Amino acid sequence: MTLRGRATITEDLAEMRRWAIRIAERYMGPDLAEAYGARNAVPGELLVRLTVEKVVGHTGISD
C-alpha cells in the first residue's frame, strides 16, 4: 500500500507529548503511557502528520 498526501512536521514538545502518550497508551497500556510519552517527546524528535490524499493498494504481492 502506498499513501500520498501532504505532510506537516513539528517540533512542538507539547503536541509531540500529547500524541506520544496517546500512541503509547494504545500499545503499552494506560499504566505506562505517561512514562513512554515523556521519554519520546524530547528535543530532537519530530512529529510528522500526514493528510492522506491518495491511497494505492496492490494485489498479488504474496502467495
Side-chain angles (χ1 to χ4, degrees):
M1 180 180 304
T2 302
L3 302 174
R4 292 187 184 172
R6 185 173 305 251
T8 58
I9 300 171
T10 184
E11 296 181 60
D12 181 290
L13 292 177
E15 189 174 1
M16 268 194 283
R17 185 179 178 115
R18 184 171 67 89
W19 281 102
I21 290 170
R22 232 176 127 174
I23 293 166
E25 187 170 355
R26 180 176 184 169
Y27 293 102
M28 305 306 294
D31 295 339
L32 298 173
E34 285 285 332
Y36 275 86
R39 186 186 85 179
N40 290 310
V42 296
E45 296 293 329
L46 300 171
L47 175 65
V48 180
R49 300 173 92 180
L50 176 67
T51 302
V52 178
E53 297 170 351
K54 184 174 183 178
V55 177
V56 178
H58 304 278
T59 62
I61 58 174
S62 64
D63 291 333

Short mmCIF file of all heavy atoms in Angstrom, two decimals:
data_model
loop_
_atom_site.label_atom_id
_atom_site.label_comp_id
_atom_site.label_asym_id
_atom_site.label_seq_id
_atom_site.Cartn_x
_atom_site.Cartn_y
_atom_site.Cartn_z
N MET A 1 0.84 -1.17 0.00
CA MET A 1 0.00 0.00 0.00
C MET A 1 0.89 1.23 0.00
O MET A 1 1.90 1.29 0.69
CB MET A 1 -0.91 0.01 1.23
CG MET A 1 -1.80 1.21 1.27
SD MET A 1 -2.90 1.32 2.68
CE MET A 1 -3.77 -0.19 2.59
N THR A 2 0.48 2.21 -0.76
CA THR A 2 1.19 3.48 -0.82
C THR A 2 0.22 4.59 -0.44
O THR A 2 -0.90 4.64 -0.93
CB THR A 2 1.70 3.75 -2.24
OG1 THR A 2 2.56 2.67 -2.64
CG2 THR A 2 2.47 5.04 -2.32
N LEU A 3 0.66 5.45 0.46
CA LEU A 3 -0.13 6.61 0.86
C LEU A 3 0.55 7.85 0.32
O LEU A 3 1.77 8.00 0.45
CB LEU A 3 -0.22 6.72 2.38
CG LEU A 3 -0.83 5.53 3.12
CD1 LEU A 3 -0.72 5.74 4.61
CD2 LEU A 3 -2.26 5.31 2.71
N ARG A 4 -0.23 8.74 -0.26
CA ARG A 4 0.31 10.01 -0.76
C ARG A 4 -0.52 11.14 -0.17
O ARG A 4 -1.73 11.02 -0.02
CB ARG A 4 0.26 10.07 -2.28
CG ARG A 4 1.21 9.10 -2.91
CD ARG A 4 1.26 9.28 -4.39
NE ARG A 4 2.14 8.24 -4.93
CZ ARG A 4 2.31 8.02 -6.20
NH1 ARG A 4 1.68 8.74 -7.08
NH2 ARG A 4 3.10 7.06 -6.61
N GLY A 5 0.17 12.23 0.14
CA GLY A 5 -0.55 13.36 0.70
C GLY A 5 0.40 14.44 1.15
O GLY A 5 1.57 14.45 0.82
N ARG A 6 -0.13 15.33 1.95
CA ARG A 6 0.63 16.47 2.46
C ARG A 6 1.06 16.18 3.89
O ARG A 6 0.25 15.82 4.73
CB ARG A 6 -0.23 17.71 2.42
CG ARG A 6 0.48 18.96 2.81
CD ARG A 6 -0.41 20.15 2.57
NE ARG A 6 -0.87 20.15 1.19
CZ ARG A 6 -0.47 21.01 0.28
NH1 ARG A 6 0.38 21.96 0.60
NH2 ARG A 6 -0.92 20.96 -0.96
N ALA A 7 2.35 16.33 4.14
CA ALA A 7 2.90 16.09 5.47
C ALA A 7 3.26 17.42 6.14
O ALA A 7 3.73 18.34 5.48
CB ALA A 7 4.14 15.21 5.38
N THR A 8 2.99 17.49 7.43
CA THR A 8 3.45 18.62 8.22
C THR A 8 4.38 18.08 9.31
O THR A 8 4.18 16.98 9.82
CB THR A 8 2.28 19.38 8.88
OG1 THR A 8 1.54 18.49 9.70
CG2 THR A 8 1.37 20.00 7.84
N ILE A 9 5.39 18.84 9.62
CA ILE A 9 6.38 18.43 10.61
C ILE A 9 6.42 19.50 11.70
O ILE A 9 6.43 20.69 11.41
CB ILE A 9 7.78 18.30 9.98
CG1 ILE A 9 7.75 17.24 8.87
CG2 ILE A 9 8.82 17.94 11.03
CD1 ILE A 9 9.01 17.18 8.04
N THR A 10 6.43 19.05 12.95
CA THR A 10 6.52 19.98 14.06
C THR A 10 7.52 19.49 15.10
O THR A 10 7.73 18.29 15.23
CB THR A 10 5.15 20.24 14.71
OG1 THR A 10 5.30 21.23 15.72
CG2 THR A 10 4.58 18.98 15.34
N GLU A 11 8.09 20.44 15.81
CA GLU A 11 8.98 20.14 16.93
C GLU A 11 8.34 20.58 18.25
O GLU A 11 9.01 20.59 19.28
CB GLU A 11 10.32 20.85 16.75
CG GLU A 11 11.09 20.37 15.54
CD GLU A 11 12.43 21.06 15.39
OE1 GLU A 11 13.25 20.96 16.30
OE2 GLU A 11 12.61 21.72 14.35
N ASP A 12 7.06 20.95 18.20
CA ASP A 12 6.35 21.41 19.38
C ASP A 12 6.27 20.28 20.41
O ASP A 12 5.60 19.27 20.19
CB ASP A 12 4.94 21.86 18.99
CG ASP A 12 4.14 22.39 20.15
OD1 ASP A 12 3.77 21.57 21.03
OD2 ASP A 12 3.89 23.60 20.19
N LEU A 13 6.97 20.44 21.53
CA LEU A 13 7.07 19.38 22.53
C LEU A 13 5.73 19.02 23.16
O LEU A 13 5.46 17.84 23.43
CB LEU A 13 8.09 19.74 23.60
CG LEU A 13 9.53 19.80 23.13
CD1 LEU A 13 10.45 20.25 24.26
CD2 LEU A 13 9.98 18.45 22.58
N ALA A 14 4.87 20.00 23.39
CA ALA A 14 3.56 19.72 24.00
C ALA A 14 2.71 18.87 23.06
O ALA A 14 2.06 17.90 23.49
CB ALA A 14 2.85 21.02 24.34
N GLU A 15 2.72 19.20 21.78
CA GLU A 15 1.95 18.42 20.80
C GLU A 15 2.54 17.02 20.64
O GLU A 15 1.81 16.03 20.59
CB GLU A 15 1.92 19.15 19.46
CG GLU A 15 0.97 18.52 18.48
CD GLU A 15 0.82 19.31 17.21
OE1 GLU A 15 1.47 20.37 17.05
OE2 GLU A 15 0.06 18.86 16.34
N MET A 16 3.87 16.95 20.58
CA MET A 16 4.52 15.64 20.48
C MET A 16 4.18 14.77 21.67
O MET A 16 3.89 13.59 21.53
CB MET A 16 6.04 15.79 20.40
CG MET A 16 6.56 15.87 19.00
SD MET A 16 8.34 15.64 18.97
CE MET A 16 8.89 17.22 19.52
N ARG A 17 4.25 15.36 22.87
CA ARG A 17 3.97 14.59 24.09
C ARG A 17 2.53 14.08 24.09
O ARG A 17 2.28 12.93 24.45
CB ARG A 17 4.24 15.44 25.32
CG ARG A 17 4.08 14.67 26.59
CD ARG A 17 4.38 15.55 27.79
NE ARG A 17 4.16 14.80 28.99
CZ ARG A 17 5.11 14.48 29.85
NH1 ARG A 17 6.34 14.88 29.64
NH2 ARG A 17 4.84 13.79 30.92
N ARG A 18 1.59 14.92 23.67
CA ARG A 18 0.19 14.51 23.63
C ARG A 18 0.01 13.28 22.73
O ARG A 18 -0.63 12.31 23.10
CB ARG A 18 -0.67 15.66 23.13
CG ARG A 18 -2.15 15.36 23.13
CD ARG A 18 -2.97 16.60 22.84
NE ARG A 18 -2.81 17.10 21.49
CZ ARG A 18 -3.54 16.70 20.46
NH1 ARG A 18 -4.46 15.79 20.62
NH2 ARG A 18 -3.34 17.21 19.27
N TRP A 19 0.61 13.32 21.53
CA TRP A 19 0.49 12.20 20.61
C TRP A 19 1.29 10.99 21.08
O TRP A 19 0.85 9.85 20.92
CB TRP A 19 0.88 12.62 19.20
CG TRP A 19 -0.24 13.36 18.55
CD1 TRP A 19 -0.34 14.70 18.38
CD2 TRP A 19 -1.43 12.79 18.04
NE1 TRP A 19 -1.53 15.01 17.79
CE2 TRP A 19 -2.23 13.85 17.57
CE3 TRP A 19 -1.92 11.50 17.93
CZ2 TRP A 19 -3.48 13.64 17.00
CZ3 TRP A 19 -3.16 11.30 17.36
CH2 TRP A 19 -3.93 12.36 16.90
N ALA A 20 2.47 11.23 21.65
CA ALA A 20 3.28 10.11 22.13
C ALA A 20 2.55 9.36 23.24
O ALA A 20 2.59 8.13 23.30
CB ALA A 20 4.63 10.62 22.62
N ILE A 21 1.88 10.09 24.12
CA ILE A 21 1.11 9.45 25.19
C ILE A 21 -0.06 8.66 24.61
O ILE A 21 -0.32 7.53 25.02
CB ILE A 21 0.63 10.50 26.22
CG1 ILE A 21 1.81 11.03 27.01
CG2 ILE A 21 -0.44 9.91 27.15
CD1 ILE A 21 1.50 12.24 27.87
N ARG A 22 -0.73 9.26 23.65
CA ARG A 22 -1.87 8.57 23.01
C ARG A 22 -1.45 7.26 22.35
O ARG A 22 -2.11 6.23 22.48
CB ARG A 22 -2.46 9.50 21.96
CG ARG A 22 -3.92 9.68 22.09
CD ARG A 22 -4.39 10.69 21.09
NE ARG A 22 -5.48 10.06 20.35
CZ ARG A 22 -6.21 10.67 19.47
NH1 ARG A 22 -5.96 11.92 19.15
NH2 ARG A 22 -7.18 10.06 18.86
N ILE A 23 -0.36 7.32 21.62
CA ILE A 23 0.14 6.12 20.94
C ILE A 23 0.64 5.10 21.95
O ILE A 23 0.36 3.90 21.84
CB ILE A 23 1.24 6.50 19.93
CG1 ILE A 23 0.63 7.33 18.80
CG2 ILE A 23 1.94 5.26 19.38
CD1 ILE A 23 1.64 8.05 17.92
N ALA A 24 1.37 5.56 22.96
CA ALA A 24 1.88 4.65 23.99
C ALA A 24 0.74 3.96 24.74
O ALA A 24 0.83 2.78 25.06
CB ALA A 24 2.77 5.40 24.97
N GLU A 25 -0.32 4.68 24.99
CA GLU A 25 -1.46 4.08 25.69
C GLU A 25 -2.04 2.93 24.88
O GLU A 25 -2.41 1.89 25.43
CB GLU A 25 -2.54 5.13 25.95
CG GLU A 25 -3.65 4.61 26.82
CD GLU A 25 -4.60 5.69 27.28
OE1 GLU A 25 -4.35 6.89 27.01
OE2 GLU A 25 -5.61 5.34 27.91
N ARG A 26 -2.07 3.11 23.58
CA ARG A 26 -2.61 2.05 22.72
C ARG A 26 -1.75 0.79 22.75
O ARG A 26 -2.25 -0.32 22.79
CB ARG A 26 -2.72 2.58 21.29
CG ARG A 26 -3.27 1.55 20.35
CD ARG A 26 -3.46 2.12 18.97
NE ARG A 26 -4.08 1.14 18.12
CZ ARG A 26 -4.55 1.38 16.94
NH1 ARG A 26 -4.50 2.59 16.46
NH2 ARG A 26 -5.09 0.43 16.22
N TYR A 27 -0.43 0.97 22.72
CA TYR A 27 0.46 -0.18 22.60
C TYR A 27 1.06 -0.66 23.93
O TYR A 27 1.39 -1.83 24.06
CB TYR A 27 1.58 0.13 21.61
CG TYR A 27 1.06 0.29 20.20
CD1 TYR A 27 0.87 1.54 19.65
CD2 TYR A 27 0.69 -0.82 19.45
CE1 TYR A 27 0.36 1.69 18.37
CE2 TYR A 27 0.17 -0.69 18.17
CZ TYR A 27 0.01 0.57 17.63
OH TYR A 27 -0.51 0.70 16.38
N MET A 28 1.22 0.24 24.89
CA MET A 28 1.86 -0.12 26.16
C MET A 28 0.87 -0.19 27.33
O MET A 28 1.22 -0.66 28.39
CB MET A 28 2.97 0.89 26.51
CG MET A 28 4.01 1.05 25.42
SD MET A 28 4.77 -0.48 24.87
CE MET A 28 5.64 -0.96 26.33
N GLY A 29 -0.33 0.34 27.11
CA GLY A 29 -1.34 0.36 28.16
C GLY A 29 -1.32 1.67 28.93
O GLY A 29 -0.32 2.40 28.94
N PRO A 30 -2.42 1.97 29.60
CA PRO A 30 -2.55 3.25 30.30
C PRO A 30 -1.56 3.44 31.45
O PRO A 30 -1.20 4.57 31.76
CB PRO A 30 -3.99 3.25 30.80
CG PRO A 30 -4.46 1.85 30.71
CD PRO A 30 -3.63 1.17 29.68
N ASP A 31 -1.11 2.36 32.06
CA ASP A 31 -0.19 2.49 33.19
C ASP A 31 1.19 2.99 32.77
O ASP A 31 1.86 3.65 33.56
CB ASP A 31 -0.03 1.15 33.92
CG ASP A 31 -1.33 0.70 34.58
OD1 ASP A 31 -2.20 1.56 34.82
OD2 ASP A 31 -1.47 -0.51 34.84
N LEU A 32 1.61 2.70 31.56
CA LEU A 32 2.94 3.08 31.09
C LEU A 32 2.93 4.25 30.11
O LEU A 32 3.99 4.74 29.72
CB LEU A 32 3.63 1.88 30.43
CG LEU A 32 3.87 0.67 31.33
CD1 LEU A 32 4.40 -0.50 30.51
CD2 LEU A 32 4.83 1.02 32.44
N ALA A 33 1.75 4.70 29.73
CA ALA A 33 1.64 5.71 28.67
C ALA A 33 2.37 7.01 28.99
O ALA A 33 3.10 7.53 28.15
CB ALA A 33 0.17 5.98 28.37
N GLU A 34 2.21 7.54 30.17
CA GLU A 34 2.86 8.80 30.54
C GLU A 34 4.38 8.69 30.47
O GLU A 34 5.05 9.58 29.95
CB GLU A 34 2.44 9.24 31.95
CG GLU A 34 1.05 9.81 32.03
CD GLU A 34 0.93 11.20 31.46
OE1 GLU A 34 1.93 11.97 31.47
OE2 GLU A 34 -0.17 11.52 30.98
N ALA A 35 4.92 7.61 30.99
CA ALA A 35 6.38 7.43 31.00
C ALA A 35 6.93 7.33 29.58
O ALA A 35 7.95 7.96 29.27
CB ALA A 35 6.76 6.18 31.80
N TYR A 36 6.27 6.57 28.73
CA TYR A 36 6.73 6.44 27.35
C TYR A 36 6.54 7.75 26.59
O TYR A 36 7.37 8.13 25.78
CB TYR A 36 6.02 5.29 26.64
CG TYR A 36 6.70 3.96 26.89
CD1 TYR A 36 6.40 3.21 28.01
CD2 TYR A 36 7.66 3.48 26.02
CE1 TYR A 36 7.01 2.00 28.26
CE2 TYR A 36 8.29 2.27 26.25
CZ TYR A 36 7.96 1.54 27.37
OH TYR A 36 8.60 0.35 27.60
N GLY A 37 5.43 8.43 26.85
CA GLY A 37 5.20 9.72 26.20
C GLY A 37 6.26 10.73 26.56
O GLY A 37 6.78 11.44 25.69
N ALA A 38 6.63 10.79 27.83
CA ALA A 38 7.67 11.71 28.28
C ALA A 38 9.03 11.35 27.68
O ALA A 38 9.82 12.21 27.32
CB ALA A 38 7.74 11.72 29.80
N ARG A 39 9.29 10.06 27.56
CA ARG A 39 10.57 9.61 27.03
C ARG A 39 10.71 9.90 25.54
O ARG A 39 11.80 10.18 25.04
CB ARG A 39 10.71 8.10 27.26
CG ARG A 39 12.08 7.55 26.87
CD ARG A 39 12.13 6.07 26.98
NE ARG A 39 11.60 5.54 25.72
CZ ARG A 39 11.51 4.26 25.45
NH1 ARG A 39 11.83 3.37 26.34
NH2 ARG A 39 11.06 3.86 24.30
N ASN A 40 9.61 9.86 24.81
CA ASN A 40 9.66 10.01 23.36
C ASN A 40 9.43 11.43 22.86
O ASN A 40 9.73 11.73 21.71
CB ASN A 40 8.67 9.07 22.69
CG ASN A 40 9.11 7.63 22.84
OD1 ASN A 40 10.24 7.29 22.56
ND2 ASN A 40 8.21 6.78 23.31
N ALA A 41 8.90 12.31 23.68
CA ALA A 41 8.65 13.69 23.26
C ALA A 41 9.73 14.58 23.84
O ALA A 41 9.54 15.27 24.83
CB ALA A 41 7.27 14.14 23.73
N VAL A 42 10.90 14.55 23.22
CA VAL A 42 12.06 15.29 23.70
C VAL A 42 12.66 16.10 22.56
O VAL A 42 12.42 15.81 21.38
CB VAL A 42 13.13 14.33 24.28
CG1 VAL A 42 12.60 13.60 25.50
CG2 VAL A 42 13.60 13.33 23.24
N PRO A 43 13.43 17.13 22.88
CA PRO A 43 14.08 17.91 21.82
C PRO A 43 14.90 17.00 20.90
O PRO A 43 15.54 16.05 21.35
CB PRO A 43 14.99 18.86 22.60
CG PRO A 43 14.32 19.02 23.93
CD PRO A 43 13.73 17.66 24.22
N GLY A 44 14.80 17.29 19.63
CA GLY A 44 15.49 16.47 18.63
C GLY A 44 14.57 15.49 17.92
O GLY A 44 14.88 14.99 16.86
N GLU A 45 13.41 15.22 18.52
CA GLU A 45 12.41 14.36 17.89
C GLU A 45 11.45 15.21 17.09
O GLU A 45 11.31 16.41 17.33
CB GLU A 45 11.64 13.55 18.95
CG GLU A 45 12.49 12.59 19.73
CD GLU A 45 13.03 11.45 18.89
OE1 GLU A 45 12.36 11.02 17.92
OE2 GLU A 45 14.13 10.97 19.20
N LEU A 46 10.76 14.61 16.15
CA LEU A 46 9.80 15.32 15.30
C LEU A 46 8.47 14.59 15.30
O LEU A 46 8.42 13.36 15.43
CB LEU A 46 10.31 15.38 13.86
CG LEU A 46 11.63 16.08 13.61
CD1 LEU A 46 12.07 15.86 12.17
CD2 LEU A 46 11.51 17.56 13.91
N LEU A 47 7.41 15.33 15.12
CA LEU A 47 6.09 14.77 14.91
C LEU A 47 5.71 15.04 13.47
O LEU A 47 5.71 16.19 13.03
CB LEU A 47 5.06 15.40 15.85
CG LEU A 47 3.61 14.98 15.66
CD1 LEU A 47 3.42 13.50 15.97
CD2 LEU A 47 2.69 15.83 16.53
N VAL A 48 5.42 13.99 12.72
CA VAL A 48 5.04 14.12 11.32
C VAL A 48 3.58 13.68 11.20
O VAL A 48 3.22 12.59 11.62
CB VAL A 48 5.93 13.25 10.40
CG1 VAL A 48 5.50 13.39 8.95
CG2 VAL A 48 7.39 13.60 10.58
N ARG A 49 2.77 14.56 10.64
CA ARG A 49 1.36 14.26 10.43
C ARG A 49 1.08 14.27 8.94
O ARG A 49 1.47 15.19 8.23
CB ARG A 49 0.50 15.30 11.14
CG ARG A 49 0.76 15.31 12.63
CD ARG A 49 0.06 16.44 13.28
NE ARG A 49 -1.23 15.93 13.72
CZ ARG A 49 -2.12 16.67 14.34
NH1 ARG A 49 -1.90 17.94 14.56
NH2 ARG A 49 -3.24 16.14 14.74
N LEU A 50 0.40 13.23 8.47
CA LEU A 50 0.10 13.08 7.05
C LEU A 50 -1.40 13.22 6.81
O LEU A 50 -2.19 12.53 7.44
CB LEU A 50 0.57 11.72 6.54
CG LEU A 50 0.24 11.38 5.09
CD1 LEU A 50 1.02 12.28 4.15
CD2 LEU A 50 0.53 9.93 4.80
N THR A 51 -1.76 14.14 5.92
CA THR A 51 -3.13 14.23 5.44
C THR A 51 -3.18 13.44 4.14
O THR A 51 -2.59 13.85 3.13
CB THR A 51 -3.54 15.70 5.20
OG1 THR A 51 -3.38 16.41 6.43
CG2 THR A 51 -4.96 15.80 4.72
N VAL A 52 -3.82 12.30 4.19
CA VAL A 52 -3.82 11.38 3.05
C VAL A 52 -4.71 11.93 1.94
O VAL A 52 -5.86 12.29 2.18
CB VAL A 52 -4.30 9.98 3.48
CG1 VAL A 52 -4.35 9.05 2.28
CG2 VAL A 52 -3.38 9.42 4.55
N GLU A 53 -4.14 12.00 0.74
CA GLU A 53 -4.87 12.45 -0.43
C GLU A 53 -5.12 11.32 -1.42
O GLU A 53 -6.05 11.38 -2.21
CB GLU A 53 -4.11 13.60 -1.11
CG GLU A 53 -4.00 14.82 -0.21
CD GLU A 53 -3.04 15.87 -0.75
OE1 GLU A 53 -2.32 15.60 -1.74
OE2 GLU A 53 -2.99 16.95 -0.15
N LYS A 54 -4.28 10.30 -1.35
CA LYS A 54 -4.44 9.18 -2.29
C LYS A 54 -3.90 7.91 -1.65
O LYS A 54 -2.84 7.92 -1.01
CB LYS A 54 -3.68 9.46 -3.59
CG LYS A 54 -3.87 8.39 -4.65
CD LYS A 54 -3.23 8.77 -5.95
CE LYS A 54 -3.50 7.72 -7.00
NZ LYS A 54 -2.94 8.07 -8.29
N VAL A 55 -4.63 6.82 -1.83
CA VAL A 55 -4.20 5.51 -1.35
C VAL A 55 -4.13 4.58 -2.55
O VAL A 55 -5.08 4.50 -3.34
CB VAL A 55 -5.20 4.93 -0.32
CG1 VAL A 55 -4.79 3.54 0.12
CG2 VAL A 55 -5.35 5.86 0.87
N VAL A 56 -3.01 3.91 -2.72
CA VAL A 56 -2.83 2.95 -3.81
C VAL A 56 -2.63 1.58 -3.18
O VAL A 56 -1.69 1.37 -2.40
CB VAL A 56 -1.62 3.31 -4.69
CG1 VAL A 56 -1.43 2.27 -5.79
CG2 VAL A 56 -1.78 4.70 -5.28
N GLY A 57 -3.54 0.66 -3.48
CA GLY A 57 -3.43 -0.70 -2.97
C GLY A 57 -2.84 -1.60 -4.04
O GLY A 57 -2.92 -1.33 -5.24
N HIS A 58 -2.23 -2.67 -3.59
CA HIS A 58 -1.60 -3.63 -4.50
C HIS A 58 -2.19 -5.02 -4.23
O HIS A 58 -2.43 -5.38 -3.08
CB HIS A 58 -0.08 -3.67 -4.30
CG HIS A 58 0.56 -2.32 -4.46
ND1 HIS A 58 0.88 -1.79 -5.68
CD2 HIS A 58 0.91 -1.39 -3.54
CE1 HIS A 58 1.43 -0.60 -5.52
NE2 HIS A 58 1.45 -0.34 -4.22
N THR A 59 -2.37 -5.78 -5.26
CA THR A 59 -2.85 -7.16 -5.11
C THR A 59 -1.80 -8.11 -5.63
O THR A 59 -0.93 -7.73 -6.42
CB THR A 59 -4.17 -7.39 -5.88
OG1 THR A 59 -3.95 -7.19 -7.26
CG2 THR A 59 -5.26 -6.48 -5.38
N GLY A 60 -1.88 -9.34 -5.17
CA GLY A 60 -0.98 -10.38 -5.67
C GLY A 60 0.47 -10.19 -5.29
O GLY A 60 1.35 -10.62 -6.02
N ILE A 61 0.74 -9.57 -4.12
CA ILE A 61 2.13 -9.36 -3.74
C ILE A 61 2.68 -10.47 -2.86
O ILE A 61 3.85 -10.52 -2.58
CB ILE A 61 2.33 -7.99 -3.06
CG1 ILE A 61 1.44 -7.87 -1.82
CG2 ILE A 61 2.05 -6.87 -4.02
CD1 ILE A 61 1.69 -6.62 -1.00
N SER A 62 1.80 -11.37 -2.44
CA SER A 62 2.27 -12.53 -1.68
C SER A 62 1.48 -13.76 -2.12
O SER A 62 0.39 -13.65 -2.66
CB SER A 62 2.10 -12.29 -0.17
OG SER A 62 0.74 -12.17 0.15
N ASP A 63 2.06 -14.90 -1.85
CA ASP A 63 1.38 -16.14 -2.27
C ASP A 63 0.43 -16.63 -1.24
O ASP A 63 0.51 -16.61 -0.12
CB ASP A 63 2.43 -17.23 -2.56
CG ASP A 63 3.23 -16.89 -3.81
OD1 ASP A 63 2.68 -16.20 -4.69
OD2 ASP A 63 4.37 -17.34 -3.89
#
